[in-house]
């Protein structure tokens, strides 16, 4: 987690410094800039790997290629060994330096070899420039193009007011250069699920269950690599509990207890369930208990932080921000269960599908929209607390495997949601916890009802009816309109139409 700002074309460095100032929360550990005749690069650093030597912008040994980045490259060690064998000299242990040398050696097509979450901007002293974003869009990146200048930043709020009307999300899996424009380097293709001869998919084999299990274990273990303490946000639901179970086993093998952090109203379902999971797994567990008034009072700040007014995101983001601030006292990286619902059909409205083809298409669509929905919440909340959030379920190995599994296995058909994932991890949690029915995070923490009732009451029916033409689709409730008004106040000039995902399943 860091903050980047970059520009290609005429650009005033003072504007870049103003933008970096608005990203200080993402990178409290340092700032660096580099100006060129044709471009400008800026970076706010959250030090997670190579605390002493990983400052950015990064540069090659001759000072020709420069790069600023946000995120983590999980196959850094393998790429680094290969590049060193080819004669490249590294100046730091920073994982993103492998990306710099790889691009220098093999060009931008080599971006497809990077495994992880990242947003990059790079420039060369002879006039080159590029910006790129990872396949899933886990690392945030926005851009605005005006009068021959392209400006890039990690968050909407970084942009000066005169650029905000033109800001767009930078598309995941793409790279942009002034000469070639937007080019895909590794997009999430329309992966077709596997089938079985004869058209009837049997129950999943032990091999299929093992493949799911092995993929997630590998992803979690990759996410544990850091030079700073790592923990997990534990809701007590299936997804965060499985991530925690894997991480806790890994920590126990090293003779440590894994830190976990839970949040909720006193006695709320998630708080109780998280406590039970933590006790079963032997984690070093911490809780943040809040009141109704705290929930209500934090909403304006949360909307500014997450840059969204979608009710489902607000419901989950308030407790998320409170627990993230608590976690930041002990760790600098947190693992999160985001992505499992989209891969294994966890949301309640998925149960309405009785066609495996239709269900697969809906899962794929929601995954494509994550970068302006759930991932936006995950990133902004962690960034506001000075944390880096890592999402093992959205590791490309896990995503591609999940999409290739027969969609028929994900249909509810009278079974618990995500039963396939539960089957794969039988024995990893006590049965009552492994098969606990799903509750939306905002519901399980007690936030949904408290916030819905209060903020819905702040908008009259007349004001709600009068506002129907302001958004497409129109505001779906008085509560959503109340959040939209706060969004307009906190992010003046931002056009939400193509920037803000609005969850259909709430």
């Amino acid at each position: 987690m860091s903050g980047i700002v970059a520009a290609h074309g005429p650009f005033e460095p003072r504007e870049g410094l103003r933008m970096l100032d608005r990203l200080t929360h993402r990178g409290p550990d340092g700032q660096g800039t580099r100006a060129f005749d044709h471009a400008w690069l800026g970076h706010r650093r959250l030090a997670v790997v190579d605390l002493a030597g990983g400052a950015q912008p990064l540069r090659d040994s001759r000072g020709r290629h420069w790069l600023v980045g946000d995120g983590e490259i999980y196959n850094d060690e393998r790429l680094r060994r290969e590049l060193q064998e080819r004669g490249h000299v590294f100046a730091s242990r920073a994982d993103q330096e492998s990306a710099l040398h790889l691009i220098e050696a093999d060009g931008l097509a080599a971006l497809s070899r990077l495994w992880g979450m990242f947003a990059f901007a790079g420039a060369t002293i002879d006039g080159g420039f590029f910006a790129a974003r990872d396949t899933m869009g886990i690392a945030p990146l926005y851009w605005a193009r005006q009068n021959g200048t392209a400006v890039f930043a990690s968050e909407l709020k970084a942009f000066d007011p005169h650029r905000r009307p033109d800001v767009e999300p930078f598309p995941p899996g793409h790279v942009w250069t002034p000469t070639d424009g937007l080019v895909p380097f590794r997009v999430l293709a329309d992966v077709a699920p596997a089938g079985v001869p004869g058209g009837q998919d049997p129950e999943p084999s032990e091999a299929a269950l093992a493949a799911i299990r092995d993929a997630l274990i590998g992803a979690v273990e990759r996410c544990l690599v850091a030079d700073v303490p790592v923990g997990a946000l534990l809701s007590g639901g299936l997804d965060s509990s499985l991530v925690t179970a894997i991480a806790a086993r890994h920590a126990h093998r090293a003779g440590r207890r894994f830190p976990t952090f839970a949040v909720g109203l006193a006695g709320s379902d998630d708080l109780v369930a998280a406590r039970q999971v933590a006790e079963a797994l032997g984690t070093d567990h911490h809780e943040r208990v809040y009141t109704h008034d705290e929930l209500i009072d934090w909403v304006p700040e949360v909307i500014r932080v997450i840059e969204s007014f979608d009710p489902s995101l607000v419901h989950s983001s308030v407790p998320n921000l409170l627990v993230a601030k608590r976690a930041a006292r002990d760790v600098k990286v947190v693992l999160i269960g985001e992505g499992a619902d989209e891969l294994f059909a966890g949301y309640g409205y998925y149960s309405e599908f009785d066609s495996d083809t239709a269900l697969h298409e809906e899962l794929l669509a929601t995954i494509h929209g994550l970068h302006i929905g759930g991932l936006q919440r995950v990133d902004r909340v962690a960034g506001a607390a000075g944390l880096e959030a890592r999402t093992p379920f959205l590791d490309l190995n896990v995503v591609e495997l999940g999409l290739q599994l027969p969609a028929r296995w994900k249909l509810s058909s009278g079974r618990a949601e995500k039963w396939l994932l539960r089957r794969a991890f039988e024995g990893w949690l006590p049965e009552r916890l492994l098969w606990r029915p799903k509750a939306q995070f905002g519901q399980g923490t007690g936030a949904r009802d408290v916030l819905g009732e209060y903020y819905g009451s702040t908008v009259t029916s007349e004001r709600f009816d009068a506002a129907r033409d302001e958004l497409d689709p129109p505001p779906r409730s008085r509560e959503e309109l109340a959040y939209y008004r706060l969004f307009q106040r906190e992010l003046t000039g931002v056009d939400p139409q193509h920037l803000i995902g609005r969850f259909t399943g709430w």
Side-chain angles (χ1 to χ4, degrees):
M1 177 77 65
S2 294
I4 65 172
V5 173
H8 178 268
F11 185 71
E12 172 55 57
R14 285 177 295 182
E15 180 179 350
L17 293 174
R18 287 195 300 272
M19 295 176 72
L20 283 178
D21 283 345
R22 299 184 193 116
L23 296 177
T24 299
H25 56 281
R26 295 184 68 89
D29 297 327
Q31 175 173 303
T33 65
R34 178 67 160 86
F36 304 82
D37 291 339
H38 64 292
W40 192 88
L41 301 176
H43 187 261
R44 290 291 324 189
R45 185 185 185 211
L46 180 71
V48 172
V49 175
D50 194 358
L51 309 188
Q56 296 193 25
L58 299 167
R59 49 167 285 181
D60 70 342
S61 57
R62 294 177 294 172
R64 294 186 62 250
H65 294 258
W66 295 74
L67 179 141
V68 290
D70 174 25
E72 297 290 335
I73 305 302
Y74 298 136
N75 59 340
D76 161 60
E77 290 187 6
R78 178 162 52 82
L79 292 173
R80 183 178 294 254
R81 286 195 299 269
E82 173 192 320
L83 288 160
Q84 286 173 331
E85 290 172 359
R86 294 165 66 179
H88 287 258
V89 177
F90 282 71
S92 74
R93 292 189 299 105
D95 53 283
Q96 293 174 19
E97 191 176 353
S98 63
L100 171 71
H101 286 278
L102 185 67
I103 293 166
E104 177 192 5
D106 298 334
L108 293 173
L111 285 165
S112 63
R113 296 189 59 199
L114 298 176
W115 210 258
M117 53 180 186
F118 58 84
F120 292 139
T124 60
I125 59 173
D126 59 2
F129 183 90
F130 80 94
R133 189 181 186 189
D134 70 76
T135 299
M136 297 301 300
I138 299 173
L141 189 63
Y142 296 90
W143 63 334
R145 290 168 287 180
Q146 294 176 336
N147 304 318
T149 297
V151 181
F152 304 80
S154 298
E155 296 185 7
L156 294 170
K157 65 179 70 70
F159 291 89
D160 273 5
H162 74 283
R163 296 203 188 273
R164 289 183 176 182
D166 296 306
V167 175
E168 302 174 273
F170 191 87
H174 284 71
V175 59
W176 180 85
T177 64
T179 52
D180 296 332
L182 272 175
V183 177
F185 65 86
R186 184 181 180 132
V187 297
L188 187 62
D190 291 342
V191 180
V196 177
Q200 295 298 318
D201 294 339
E203 292 291 301
S205 66
E206 286 304 317
L209 297 174
I212 296 169
R213 191 164 52 249
D214 291 346
L216 185 60
I217 291 170
V220 170
E221 291 184 345
R222 282 190 288 276
C223 288
L224 291 171
V225 177
D227 293 340
V228 294
V230 180
L233 302 188
L234 177 61
S235 71
L238 177 69
D239 312 334
S240 64
S241 296
L242 291 181
V243 167
T244 297
I246 297 167
R249 285 196 182 189
H250 189 275
H252 289 159
R253 288 197 296 269
R256 295 180 288 103
R257 294 175 68 204
F258 187 68
T260 53
F261 305 89
V263 65
L265 291 166
S268 60
D269 291 346
D270 276 10
L271 209 58
V272 172
R275 197 176 300 151
Q276 293 171 343
V277 172
E279 183 178 352
L281 298 176
T283 68
D284 179 16
H285 192 58
H286 309 270
E287 296 179 348
R288 171 62 161 94
V289 181
Y290 51 70
T291 66
H292 289 200
D293 287 344
E294 279 187 288
L295 280 177
I296 292 166
D297 292 345
W298 273 95
V299 165
E301 171 66 9
V302 161
I303 287 175
R304 187 193 70 81
V305 164
I306 67 172
E307 303 179 333
S308 176
F309 54 88
D310 178 79
S312 64
L313 290 188
V314 175
H315 297 160
S316 58
S317 295
V318 179
N320 257 179
L321 182 59
L322 295 177
V323 73
K325 287 180 176 295
R326 170 60 189 87
R329 289 158 47 185
D330 295 331
V331 301
K332 212 163 186 177
V333 174
V334 288
L335 308 189
I336 294 177
E338 196 75 24
D341 287 319
E342 291 78 6
L343 285 174
F344 294 96
Y347 293 125
Y349 83 99
Y350 289 140
S351 64
E352 301 169 7
F353 289 85
D354 55 13
S355 161
D356 51 350
T357 300
L359 176 61
H360 178 76
E361 291 174 353
E362 179 64 18
L363 294 175
L364 196 59
T366 54
I367 289 170
H368 279 299
L370 272 173
H371 71 287
I372 55 171
L375 284 175
Q376 185 168 320
R377 168 184 54 79
V378 167
D379 172 82
R380 301 302 192 282
V381 166
L387 292 171
E388 177 170 289
R390 296 182 179 179
T391 51
F393 278 104
L394 294 176
D395 180 281
L396 279 178
N397 279 343
V398 180
V399 171
E400 292 181 349
L401 172 63
L403 291 175
Q404 290 166 1
L405 294 169
R408 189 181 303 273
W409 291 348
K410 303 173 188 178
L411 292 170
S412 292
S413 304
R415 294 185 278 204
E417 86 287 338
K418 291 183 289 195
W419 68 272
L420 179 61
L421 183 60
R422 298 175 196 267
R423 282 277 311 277
F425 279 90
E426 286 182 333
W428 284 70
L429 293 168
E431 285 291 299
R432 72 184 189 283
L433 302 176
L434 181 66
W435 293 94
R436 177 196 177 211
K438 177 181 176 60
Q440 295 285 1
F441 182 66
Q443 179 181 1
T445 59
R448 187 185 70 173
D449 294 341
V450 173
L451 296 180
E453 179 180 351
Y454 177 83
Y455 280 96
S457 72
T458 66
V459 174
T460 65
S461 297
E462 292 76 18
R463 287 174 58 199
F464 179 64
D465 291 339
R468 294 194 63 79
D469 294 334
E470 292 188 37
L471 287 170
D472 183 21
R476 295 164 290 179
S477 67
R478 291 187 293 175
E479 178 193 5
E480 185 173 36
L481 181 58
Y483 298 153
Y484 179 51
R485 292 288 181 247
L486 291 170
F487 176 91
Q488 289 177 304
R489 186 185 78 188
E490 298 292 339
L491 290 143
T492 304
V494 172
D495 179 3
Q497 202 60 50
H498 304 294
L499 287 168
I500 309 302
R502 296 168 71 191
F503 184 55
T504 59
W506 69 289

